[in-house]
Amino acid sequence: MAALEVEGLTKDYGEVLANDDVTFAVEDGEVFGYLGPNGAGKTTTIRTLMGFQSPTSGGATVLGHDVTDEADLIAAKRRVGYLPANPAFDEGVTGREVLDLHASIKGDQRRDELLETFDPPVDRTVREYSTGNVQKLGLVQAFMHDPDLVVLDEPTAGLDPLMQRAFNDFVEAEQERGLTVFLSSHVLSEVRRICDRVAILREGRLVTTERIEDLLHRTGKFVRVRVAGDVSPGAFDVEGVHDASCSTTDGGTGERDGDGERASSVTECTFTFTGDVNELIAALGERRVLDLDIEEAPLEEVFMRFYGGQDA
């Protein structure tokens, strides 16, 4: 049985169709990423899964329990951890008091372990917390009762890079223990590391559901290269190069290549690359390369490249 099943889920607010016939399933033990730009409808889906609102049509189950049946869903929630987008707690109490309240409702078998991992300042009042500390407190409350499934809406928002890494390490370890994770995100590097499969939402409709390896192959890399001389985009006529753009600066750069030769002009080219990196390096070897930067394409580029012009 799937941990989450969504079938034809639709939420119509009248002026906005936030979810439009969304269907997918999350398997037990899977880390599943729910992706899309802000306003795509991710939070609407999550709020429906948690029973905070009813769908206009369609439905879903959480750990086998119907999200439209309040009594049935309460049974599931004992086994679910949840972190909303922009979590908010009573600002007049300490973090410890917040956790005590949650513990009285759902238990806290793993509180001490999680406090050591995420380290929110639990003896300070919440009004003194930074955005990152609120997020860390939210992560502790989401996991501290040792749930079977966690539903996380932008879980690393506000966290510094070291804490983001700690979160990713924690999720990987939890998956090995059998935890199922459903998380929304717009950070491709985060999704790349921890997710098995992803679903991409655009304007309320599901565009695709696929394994992360397949998505990354389609995404490609964002390449910025600076070469000596006046070079046109046609110079990068290599399979997998898309949307090449070049600009040349003539003279006066003072730049030198690896052999110490002065470049009379320098061309900077940028493009998305979905081919064999070795072939790209071989093609660049014919040029005097001054600088080369290859990185993951921003997720926004993925949407524009693959889905921006499609009817979905």
Side-chain angles (χ1 to χ4, degrees):
M1 181 182 67
L4 283 175
E5 289 188 278
V6 178
E7 182 66 40
L9 188 67
T10 298
K11 184 62 178 180
D12 188 350
Y13 291 108
E15 295 182 355
V16 177
L17 186 59
N19 283 165
D20 185 5
D21 195 27
V22 175
T23 298
F24 63 86
V26 179
E27 301 301 322
D28 284 333
E30 184 174 31
V31 178
F32 189 94
Y34 199 46
L35 314 183
N38 291 334
K42 304 187 301 295
T43 295
T44 296
T45 304
I46 288 174
R47 288 182 56 80
T48 305
L49 288 173
M50 295 303 299
F52 300 143
Q53 59 189 23
S54 299
T56 303
S57 62
T61 60
V62 175
L63 299 176
H65 298 268
D66 186 349
V67 300
T68 63
D69 185 327
E70 184 176 358
D72 194 29
L73 189 58
I74 287 174
K77 285 185 176 181
R78 297 189 180 99
R79 301 162 52 202
V80 177
Y82 171 58
L83 178 70
N86 305 311
F89 304 105
D90 184 342
E91 294 190 347
V93 303
T94 66
R96 191 178 305 279
E97 289 172 315
V98 169
L99 297 180
D100 287 344
L101 174 61
H102 282 267
S104 70
I105 299 170
K106 60 188 181 184
D108 65 346
Q109 300 93 308
R110 302 184 63 186
R111 186 204 293 208
D112 292 342
E113 170 196 351
L114 290 159
L115 287 176
E116 184 173 344
T117 299
F118 296 112
D119 195 29
V122 292
D123 292 319
R124 290 163 50 189
T125 59
V126 172
R127 68 165 53 94
E128 300 177 72
Y129 278 25
S130 64
T131 300
N133 281 332
V134 170
Q135 197 75 5
K136 290 189 286 185
L137 185 67
L139 287 169
V140 173
Q141 69 78 26
F143 286 93
M144 70 182 192
H145 58 299
D146 201 19
D148 297 321
L149 164 71
V150 289
V151 178
L152 310 171
D153 198 349
E154 301 286 357
T156 60
L159 299 181
D160 63 48
L162 289 177
M163 191 52 62
Q164 290 178 21
R165 181 179 301 177
F167 169 79
N168 291 337
D169 290 343
F170 177 75
V171 169
E172 289 179 332
E174 290 302 292
Q175 184 183 23
E176 292 181 2
R177 297 177 65 244
L179 179 69
T180 304
V181 180
F182 177 79
L183 65 91
S184 76
S185 181
H186 61 265
V187 182
L188 184 58
S189 59
E190 172 181 273
V191 171
R192 179 179 188 265
R193 175 172 172 183
I194 64 176
C195 289
D196 301 304
R197 286 192 304 138
V198 295
I200 294 181
L201 203 66
R202 180 170 73 91
E203 296 179 352
R205 301 196 69 188
L206 197 64
V207 176
T208 186
T209 303
E210 57 188 297
R211 292 187 58 80
I212 190 66
E213 293 90 346
D214 298 331
L215 175 67
L216 290 173
H217 177 72
R218 298 178 71 190
T219 301
K221 307 288 185 180
F222 183 74
V223 178
R224 179 182 292 104
V225 59
R226 297 171 64 252
V227 296
D230 187 351
V231 178
S232 70
F236 298 98
D237 187 16
V238 178
E239 184 177 357
V241 170
H242 307 278
D243 306 322
S245 174
C246 297
S247 61
T248 302
T249 302
D250 292 322
T253 65
E255 294 194 63
R256 299 177 184 272
D257 62 17
D259 296 325
E261 298 183 31
R262 186 181 298 277
S264 58
S265 62
V266 174
T267 300
E268 178 173 299
C269 294
T270 59
F271 49 86
T272 301
F273 185 65
T274 57
D276 186 334
V277 173
N278 292 313
E279 292 182 7
L280 176 63
I281 297 299
L284 291 175
E286 301 174 3
R287 306 284 172 182
R288 288 171 54 197
V289 177
L290 305 175
D291 188 38
L292 174 64
D293 185 27
I294 302 176
E295 60 186 24
E296 296 286 0
L299 195 56
E300 291 78 6
E301 298 254 348
V302 180
F303 297 141
M304 290 300 294
R305 170 156 179 73
F306 293 107
Y307 311 120
Q310 295 183 9
D311 291 328

